[in-house]
Amino acid sequence: MDNYASHGLQHFKNLVGIKFQLYNSLFTSLPFHRIEKTGILLSLFLNICEEGYKKKLSPTEIIEDFFSKDTSFTSQSEKLDLLFRFIQFVERQVVLFDALEDAAFKQIHDIGGSGTLKQLELEVIQNKKEEALTKKLEDFSVELVLTAHPTQFYPGSVLGIINDLSKSLSENNATQVNVYLQQLGKTPFFKKEKPTPYDEAMSLVWYLENVFFAAAGRIISFLKNQFPDSVNNKNPIIKMGFWPGGDRDGNPFVNTDITLKVADALRGGIIKCYYLEIRKLRRRLTFKKVEVLLSDLERQLYNNIFIPGNRTEITKDGILEVLNDIRETIIFQHNGLFLHLVDSLINKVHVFGLHFASLDIRQDSSIHEKVFSTIASEDKIFPVDYLKLSEEKKIEFLTKNTKALSQKDYADPVIDDTLKSIKAIKLIQQYNGEPGCNRYIISHSRSALNILEVYGLFILCGWKKEKIKVDIVPLIETIDDLQNAASILNVLYQNKEYRQHLKRRNNTQTVMLGFSDGTKDGGYLMGNWSIYKAKEELTKTSKEYNIDVVFFDGRGGPPARGGGKTHKFYASMGKNISNKEIQLTIQGQTVSSNFGTIDAAQYNIEQLIHAGISNDIFSNRYITLETGEEDLLQEMADESFRLYNALKNHPQFMDYLTEISPLKYYSETNIGSRPSKRGTGKLNMQGLRAIPFVGSWSQVKQNVTGYYGVGTALQKMEREGKLPRLKILYKNSLFFKTLIDNCEMAMKKCFFPLTEYLSKDKKFGEIWNMIFQEYLTTEKYLFKLTGNNELMADYTVEQLSINMREKIVLPLVTIQQYAMASIREIEKESGKNSKKEVYEKLVMRCSFGIINAGRNSA
């Protein structure tokens, strides 16, 4: 362990571990019914859980044992009431732990060390790479796209309390901490109604206004101060993207009205931020000439946000012109006094414009097929036999057509909205600027036609070809589609009309790759490896046509959904993968856990910027995989895929998920506006979304999608005498090491004693033992590979954090499994049982604390 890691661990123990024990005692003053007794009983219950699992007791046996020996409760309603009170108590313990970690962020993390911009500055100067940095920053950027995917269980009011609580904890203000804990006790965690897409958007706008606005400003100011000749104002190094209100894929509640409303909210949000900054500036810039300019700009901004229905023709360039005039006046007439404050605001305007974040439109390719089957049969523009034409002939028509559809409303609201959304993009660009909405993403892109149908729709909706200022982005997700991705781009690049479109878009093609669905489809190793290989092939194909390909990664929180140590993946891509930009989704819990405070956001954005730049200008640092090394990883991926497929095809697989895990209750948690599966009808793997799939495995503490197949693959390599080569690869390849590190993180959050009672179950015994044996095999071979004797041995702070969080939620996972077992017993009986609803509520309420405690578990 290096010196800083040792200090970080000690800081964590002092500032989080010990403080948690101290402040935990304040929970006895929370305004709950009989709270003092609840706290004492919960502490006792936790000990009984720990001891019970050592004795191989089931959750039901543990809970029944607890009630019979340690309480005087006799009626079932009294017992259930106490379990609900335990849940309330633990939920708030998790909040306290979150707030303590946030408060100690600067002390725990080396904010001037590895992966930061301060380190980048030293490396650039020492290696005389100033010119290389200037060239890299001409077009390099990091784009964080905030999504509406429902993995955030904290309501906005609770997030606000966490924010305030963190500040008080960092100041050691015990009185204020106590007040906030009492407020927490009175604040509901459970949402009685599902949020609307607009509600989801507004909760993420809060992060834009309160976190990203300041963090991005700090980063750009640092870069401009240290490398004034390298930073190009025309290329904002940080970009923000936004999905709530634009992402229609499977969400029937998003429509064009909501899209326009969210775009307006984003515009209003950034103007409000500028207005508040100008107000602060006026307190300092009280100089002649400057004051008048500021006052006029303040009035303009005010009129745009506080006068209803008033949207004046304010522009990004207009704001910058005024600020640059002020800057010149300060330099030449006022000795440069407070110049840094003006420069800071100018930097933010360059990044955020009037759009704040680019609103992406996303829809599934099957919807576009549905649109064309309707409009082709109803509009005379189309050839009579369009629907019977070959793919090539359809592409020819779509790319050569110049006529718009006749104006009409369609009876099917999805068809009507798809067409209206394309027209709405033009309106958003008019008020928010082109970056306000300049990307259309197509889920399940399986052919060139899927992409060119959208290109054709823009023309059919009245856009002129030369005016389409929108990137059309295929989203490629399944293993088969990933392996076929390069051939799709080949067809696109050979199409003359589409090549002209790309020329107008700076010869750049963005491709989105779905880590979540890739892993759901192929398992952990095959999912990640298929995306790596697809990126190599797509880079090679694009270079042949002189096109810059940009990869937009659809990543979730946990390693199974492309999360974990994300920045290390980007630092390890090597020379065969395009590194023009880093684009990735930031979802649910990852927003609050990695970007919840300004310090955390700055640190994590810096890690991504450093990864993208260092991968390019210090290319000798990380070895690009050689052919033989790729063959090793391919062989491992194939073997793990074989094993994962056998698990997925087990006859009890879906029953295991729906009866043992809380999967079927995801849609009832009211955390997201969209359904937990695509389409209607019976739940199956194809329609099941990746978030509830991965999240359900995390709640039963088995995390199958984060390691399953890895152990067997390593075992096969050992049998073939290839393990020594893999050990060398682990030491030399950051990509392979990060893959293994993330696998260890997923395993660290497993706890098989929770479900060990299933090992002899008639229906589920076989599948439980399959999963458990693979866990043991993977653990054994990871230790052989890494030389360590415990999981996450290289990450001691995170290891301790996980240990503490898992201990806090042990009562919740026990209660949840007890409730699931009770539901199964009730369902065996004939007739309706009113108790079932109570147990279902128990399952659902446990989900909140379990997921929140995991921080990146869904």
Side-chain angles (χ1 to χ4, degrees), residues 519-566:
T519 308
K520 187 191 105 181
D521 185 44
Y524 179 68
L525 260 186
M526 180 58 93
N528 279 279
W529 181 242
S530 294
I531 287 174
Y532 184 93
K533 288 299 292 176
K535 284 184 174 183
E536 278 194 334
E537 289 297 316
L538 292 168
T539 301
K540 184 183 172 188
T541 299
S542 299
K543 275 183 181 174
E544 288 169 5
Y545 291 92
N546 293 316
I547 300 290
D548 284 323
V549 66
V550 170
F551 296 118
F552 174 23
D553 291 343
R555 295 180 179 271
R561 295 186 51 237
K565 304 188 180 305
T566 309

Side-chain angles (χ1 to χ4, degrees), residues 73-284:
F73 298 137
T74 52
S75 74
Q76 190 66 4
S77 61
E78 279 183 311
K79 292 175 183 178
L80 290 170
D81 179 58
L82 180 64
L83 294 180
F84 276 113
R85 280 191 277 136
F86 280 171
I87 293 167
Q88 283 186 307
F89 203 104
V90 173
E91 281 177 335
R92 283 144 182 87
Q93 285 182 316
V94 172
V95 168
L96 173 62
F97 198 85
D98 283 348
L100 281 164
E101 281 202 332
D102 288 346
F105 190 89
K106 276 188 166 181
Q107 286 74 32
I108 295 168
H109 295 82
D110 187 359
I111 57 171
S114 177
T116 65
L117 292 184
K118 284 181 182 172
Q119 190 203 36
L120 179 69
E121 179 192 8
L122 287 172
E123 291 172 330
V124 168
I125 293 167
Q126 283 172 3
N127 293 286
K128 297 185 170 62
K129 290 285 185 177
E130 288 88 349
E131 264 187 57
L133 179 67
T134 302
K135 189 168 182 357
K136 179 68 180 170
L137 292 181
E138 281 176 9
D139 56 9
F140 173 76
S141 63
V142 168
E143 181 168 358
L144 307 176
V145 181
L146 307 182
T147 78
H149 293 166
T151 62
Q152 179 50 263
F153 282 75
Y154 288 138
S157 53
V158 176
L159 287 170
I161 296 170
I162 294 175
N163 194 276
D164 296 336
L165 186 57
S166 294
K167 287 177 186 172
S168 296
L169 287 165
S170 61
E171 295 162 2
N172 287 318
N173 187 339
T175 306
Q176 199 62 50
V177 168
N178 195 20
V179 171
Y180 288 140
L181 290 178
Q182 287 190 51
Q183 181 190 357
L184 203 58
K186 290 282 189 183
T187 305
F189 277 45
F190 180 65
K191 298 173 182 177
K192 289 185 178 175
E193 293 178 357
K194 275 185 176 290
T196 66
Y198 184 74
D199 294 334
E200 290 173 329
M202 294 315 293
S203 68
L204 288 177
V205 168
W206 184 91
Y207 284 100
L208 286 171
E209 292 176 352
N210 293 282
V211 178
F212 290 104
F213 183 72
R218 283 186 190 177
I219 290 169
I220 302 300
S221 293
F222 177 86
L223 283 169
K224 280 194 172 178
N225 289 337
Q226 306 315 119
F227 304 105
D229 299 327
S230 295
V231 181
N232 176 4
N233 283 334
K234 290 179 182 176
N235 174 48
I237 294 158
I238 299 167
K239 298 175 185 175
M240 297 302 300
F242 208 77
W243 273 20
D247 178 12
R248 286 153 166 72
D249 176 22
N251 191 335
F253 308 110
V254 176
N255 57 41
T256 302
D257 288 342
I258 285 171
T259 301
L260 292 170
K261 195 178 173 185
V262 169
D264 207 39
L266 287 166
R267 183 178 186 273
I270 191 57
I271 291 174
K272 183 171 74 175
C273 287
Y274 295 154
Y275 173 77
L276 293 172
E277 289 273 298
I278 295 291
R279 297 268 300 176
K280 288 179 197 169
L281 273 178
R282 285 192 66 190
R283 294 177 67 178
R284 300 280 80 84

Side-chain angles (χ1 to χ4, degrees), residues 11 23 48 53 56 87 90 120 123 135 140 145 149 210 245 250 272 314 332 352 396 427 515 575 727-728 741 819 847:
H11 281 311
Y23 284 115
I48 287 168
Y53 289 123
K56 298 190 180 296
I87 293 167
V90 173
L120 179 69
E123 291 172 330
K135 189 168 182 357
F140 173 76
V145 181
H149 293 166
N210 293 282
K272 183 171 74 175
I314 191 169
F332 293 111
F352 297 110
E396 186 181 349
L427 192 62
F515 280 78
K575 282 294 181 187
K727 287 181 179 180
I728 294 167
D741 287 349
S847 291

Side-chain angles (χ1 to χ4, degrees), residues 693-836:
F693 179 69
V694 173
S696 295
W697 286 116
S698 78
Q699 288 191 67
V700 292
K701 296 295 162 191
Q702 293 180 3
N703 285 331
V704 162
T705 46
Y707 65 84
Y708 199 84
V710 174
T712 296
L714 286 168
Q715 186 180 52
K716 180 176 185 283
M717 302 305 273
E718 184 188 48
R719 283 174 185 158
E720 294 175 4
K722 296 172 183 174
L723 196 60
R725 288 170 64 194
L726 278 175
K727 287 181 179 180
I728 294 167
L729 187 63
Y730 176 77
K731 284 181 181 175
N732 292 340
S733 165
L734 185 62
F735 172 76
F736 185 49
K737 186 177 189 312
T738 306
L739 208 57
I740 296 300
D741 287 349
N742 277 351
C743 177
E744 289 189 38
M745 184 192 289
M747 293 179 70
K748 185 69 183 169
K749 295 181 181 183
C750 290
F751 184 66
F752 279 90
L754 175 71
T755 50
E756 194 170 353
Y757 69 97
L758 293 167
S759 64
K760 295 181 178 66
D761 187 87
K762 279 184 183 176
K763 185 175 182 182
F764 297 124
E766 185 182 3
I767 193 168
W768 187 90
N769 282 296
M770 279 173 69
I771 295 166
F772 183 51
Q773 284 307 313
E774 182 57 19
Y775 174 87
L776 293 177
T777 303
T778 304
E779 185 181 57
K780 174 185 171 182
Y781 278 92
L782 286 183
F783 291 164
K784 284 189 176 189
L785 178 70
T786 64
N788 296 324
N789 57 8
E790 60 178 351
L791 295 169
M792 293 186 72
D794 298 336
Y795 302 95
T796 51
V797 171
E798 289 172 58
Q799 188 189 56
L800 182 56
S801 174
I802 290 170
N803 287 342
M804 291 187 72
R805 286 175 177 276
E806 293 301 306
K807 184 173 180 176
I808 291 168
V809 296
L810 187 59
L812 293 194
V813 294
T814 303
I815 293 168
Q816 189 181 65
Q817 274 301 302
Y818 161 72
M820 290 297 297
S822 301
I823 291 167
R824 289 197 297 277
E825 287 304 311
I826 290 167
E827 286 177 344
K828 284 178 187 175
E829 301 168 10
S830 57
K832 195 174 172 73
N833 191 317
S834 60
K835 283 182 184 175
K836 184 182 172 185

